[in-house]
């Protein structure tokens, strides 16, 4: 089983990023997918969630209106589009697959700074 995040980096405040998480080794289309983030010295926070078929999404209040989670079950990939990035969005972003088991990726760093 693998979850490989990509797309992180350094971005200026107000900028955008699209994170990707490529999955393999399990039946992706049957798993709920989530994005979490963890800033230094803080607990891991759920950012967004998408149902297995993609028809239902939920967002943390802190990113609502600025983030969009989506998935492509044909490509075994989940995405997180983040717009209007703020310095407080700086964190390591992790994808999580939740189904019969829970799987985690290794994370991708997002730094929002001028």
């Amino acid at each position: 089983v693998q979850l490989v995040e990509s797309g992180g980096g350094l971005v200026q405040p107000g900028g955008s990023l699209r994170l990707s998480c490529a999955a393999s080794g399990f039946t992706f289309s049957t798993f709920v997918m989530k994005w979490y983030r963890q800033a230094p010295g803080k607990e891991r926070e759920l950012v967004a969630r998408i149902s297995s078929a993609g028809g239902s999404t939920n967002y943390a209040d802190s990113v609502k209106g600025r983030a969009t989670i989506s998935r492509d079950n044909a490509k075994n990939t989940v995405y997180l589009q983040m717009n209007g990035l703020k310095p407080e969005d700086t964190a390591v972003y992790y994808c999580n697959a939740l189904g019969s088991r829970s799987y985690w990726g290794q994370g991708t760093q997002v730094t929002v700074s001028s």
Side-chain angles (χ1 to χ4, degrees):
V1 172
Q2 273 197 314
L3 291 173
V4 181
E5 299 98 335
S6 61
L10 174 64
V11 62
Q12 292 189 342
S16 298
L17 279 178
R18 187 195 197 201
L19 306 181
S20 300
C21 172
S24 61
F26 63 100
T27 309
F28 179 79
S29 62
T30 67
F31 279 64
V32 170
M33 296 300 297
K34 302 180 180 182
W35 283 97
Y36 285 81
R37 67 185 181 187
Q38 188 165 21
K42 295 189 176 181
E43 293 188 355
R44 193 167 292 191
E45 171 192 25
L46 176 62
V47 176
R49 168 200 172 277
I50 188 166
S51 61
S52 57
S56 175
T57 58
N58 301 96
Y59 299 92
D61 288 343
S62 57
V63 302
K64 203 169 289 183
R66 300 188 296 120
T68 302
I69 187 170
S70 61
R71 66 190 296 162
D72 185 337
N73 284 349
K75 295 183 178 179
N76 288 356
T77 302
V78 63
Y79 306 96
L80 182 69
Q81 175 72 42
M82 295 280 292
N83 301 321
L85 283 160
K86 305 175 182 181
E88 52 262 43
D89 294 317
T90 295
V92 178
Y93 284 70
Y94 299 90
C95 68
N96 169 248
L98 183 63
S100 54
R101 294 188 178 185
S102 180
Y103 304 118
W104 290 89
Q106 83 291 346
T108 186
Q109 176 71 47
V110 172
T111 302
V112 184
S113 175
S114 54

